[in-house]
Amino acid sequence: MKRREFLKKAGVGATAAVAATAGTVVNAPFVHASQKSTIRWRLQTYAGPALAEHVIKPQIEAFNKAANNEMVIELYNADQLIPTGELFRAMQRGTIDAVQSDDDSIAAPVDVSIFAAYFPFASRYSLDVPTLFNHYGLKEIWEEAYSEVDGVKWLSAGSWDPCNFATREPIRSVKDLKGKRVFTFPTGGRFLKRFGVVPVTLPWEDVEVALQTGELDGIAWSGITEDYTVGWADVTKYYLTNNISGAWAGSYFANSDKWEALPEHLKTLFKLSMDSSHYYRLHWYWWGEAYYRTHGGKLELTTIPEEEWSIVENEAMKYWDELAAKSPRSAKIVKILKEYTETMKKAGKPYRY
């Protein structure tokens, strides 16, 4: 459904409701007093259609089936109803009921938002994200941060794929990053500017054409699984195996009033469906990142030597300290990330090499 059609239909529905209450309804069918109408939500994801087939559509279809017509969630893809950068405000107003995205991209007005999506080198593997949230205290920190904002309920975080470069020209050295116009996430983009990268913001559906026309030199938005799934492997030539993050940290959000109005069994059902989605993504991306490197056939793999890539990793630690100074809560998160990283290093293989 186009955004204009959505708004038009919403207006027509409101007009019809007013007219019905103002006039006399003739031959209205009898409705039993105990019959409840179906709860309907509109949920918009950060993902385009091809990617949504994996990262959220199975979850929503399963939820709708299990809800047995008590509740139906209508799923919309990236920018289909609301521009991604306006989703937080739209949830607050109730224009959209729920969102799947990262805090950074939807411009969440909380200090934790800068640590979402691809916070540089915060994770090495996909399991790092749920471990940090469920066993190192990030879940409680996120709940605290969103309790200070009206209108939006943070529900759950999960991990996606790593952040690698797919480009039109090869990257074999850190200096090759200089001047590259790259589609990426806000916080990741601010970090990459230190190496001469030019972050570019575009609607998700325009990225493929921008790569074809040369408006973009590459993307640092995903791992190789998404490059093949959404068609970006067809318009780029090279894939850099070094990544700036081992897993994207994304979340589910809902309008607070709509969430609180749900009966407890539907809240539980939605939480279970989120967990199912988190689990599916863990193994789908883990499979895809290895499979497409070895069987993809479209992208040539390049690698920056570890001794040179350590320059980028060391700069990330400076970036962490700068952001820690922004608020006590930011400092707490950075402290957790440092402790976690040190624990993983001490644990050795397979946690860290």
Side-chain angles (χ1 to χ4, degrees):
M1 186 185 292
K2 301 294 185 183
R3 190 179 299 119
R4 184 177 296 173
E5 293 172 354
F6 163 73
L7 294 173
K8 182 179 179 182
K9 288 188 177 183
V12 170
T15 303
V18 173
T21 55
T24 302
V25 179
V26 181
N27 295 325
F30 173 76
V31 179
H32 195 278
S34 63
Q35 182 175 334
K36 295 181 180 179
S37 59
T38 300
I39 299 169
R40 294 190 177 275
W41 272 20
R42 297 178 300 272
L43 186 155
Q44 184 168 306
T45 176
Y46 74 97
L51 185 56
E53 287 286 332
H54 290 278
V55 300
I56 192 169
K57 188 177 178 182
Q59 171 206 351
I60 300 304
E61 289 178 342
F63 175 88
N64 287 342
K65 184 176 181 180
N68 197 28
N69 208 42
E70 286 188 63
M71 181 172 175
V72 173
I73 298 176
E74 299 168 0
L75 177 63
Y76 297 90
N77 298 319
D79 304 306
Q80 194 171 0
L81 294 181
I82 310 292
T84 297
E86 300 174 16
L87 279 172
F88 192 91
R89 300 300 183 192
M91 266 192 297
Q92 284 185 311
R93 295 192 300 267
T95 306
I96 197 85
D97 303 302
V99 166
Q100 180 202 49
S101 181
D102 69 277
D103 322 51
D104 205 17
S105 295
I106 64 174
V110 291
D111 50 5
V112 300
S113 66
I114 57 176
F115 298 99
Y118 290 124
F119 187 64
F121 297 97
S123 62
R124 180 71 62 89
Y125 305 116
S126 54
L127 277 174
D128 289 339
V129 174
T131 301
L132 281 162
F133 271 87
N134 293 299
H135 299 282
Y136 278 78
L138 293 195
K139 176 178 179 288
E140 290 74 18
I141 292 173
W142 256 247
E143 289 173 338
E144 176 188 80
Y146 281 93
S147 70
E148 299 168 1
V149 181
D150 293 331
V152 171
K153 171 76 172 177
W154 176 83
L155 298 175
S156 177
S159 66
W160 272 249
D161 53 339
C163 182
N164 295 70
F165 285 86
T167 53
R168 298 164 69 235
E169 300 294 332
I171 297 175
R172 296 189 172 93
S173 173
V174 172
K175 66 182 181 182
D176 292 336
L177 295 171
K178 189 172 183 180
K180 293 290 190 296
R181 295 160 297 174
V182 173
F183 175 68
T184 189
F185 289 88
T187 296
R190 287 190 289 271
F191 171 68
L192 290 171
K193 287 172 71 175
R194 296 174 178 230
F195 305 97
V197 171
V198 181
V200 178
T201 301
L202 288 172
W204 193 91
E205 66 270 17
D206 293 343
V207 171
E208 185 170 344
V209 173
L211 286 165
Q212 290 174 306
T213 61
E215 182 181 353
L216 286 176
D217 298 307
I219 51 177
W221 202 86
S222 69
I224 201 168
T225 308
E226 290 188 12
D227 291 337
Y228 277 85
T229 300
V230 306
W232 292 339
D234 297 320
V235 291
T236 54
K237 295 181 179 180
Y238 301 92
Y239 181 81
L240 181 65
T241 60
N242 312 77
N243 62 55
I244 67 164
S245 177
W248 188 73
S251 289
Y252 288 81
F253 310 83
N255 174 274
S256 299
D257 291 340
K258 293 295 184 68
W259 178 255
E260 293 306 322
L262 290 182
E264 287 302 315
H265 70 286
L266 288 179
K267 288 181 182 178
T268 299
L269 182 60
F270 190 75
K271 290 176 182 177
L272 288 171
S273 75
M274 287 191 296
D275 287 343
S276 176
S277 182
H278 292 330
Y279 171 68
Y280 175 82
R281 281 182 272 99
L282 280 176
H283 63 75
W284 182 63
Y285 280 120
W286 188 255
W287 161 79
E289 296 306 302
Y291 178 84
Y292 288 113
R293 284 191 184 198
T294 57
H295 295 85
K298 295 179 180 180
L299 296 175
E300 179 181 334
L301 306 183
T302 64
T303 301
I304 297 174
E306 284 299 320
E307 58 272 17
E308 185 180 357
W309 189 246
S310 64
I311 297 171
V312 182
E313 293 189 13
N314 292 336
E315 192 64 29
M317 297 304 102
K318 298 176 185 177
Y319 189 58
W320 286 17
D321 291 336
E322 291 171 14
L323 294 182
K326 289 185 174 293
S327 73
R329 192 152 51 210
S330 295
K332 186 176 181 180
I333 293 171
V334 169
K335 184 174 183 290
I336 289 172
L337 293 178
K338 287 184 176 181
E339 290 175 352
Y340 180 75
T341 300
E342 189 61 27
T343 298
M344 294 297 106
K345 287 179 179 178
K346 288 180 179 179
K349 297 180 182 180
Y351 297 96
R352 294 292 185 268
Y353 287 86

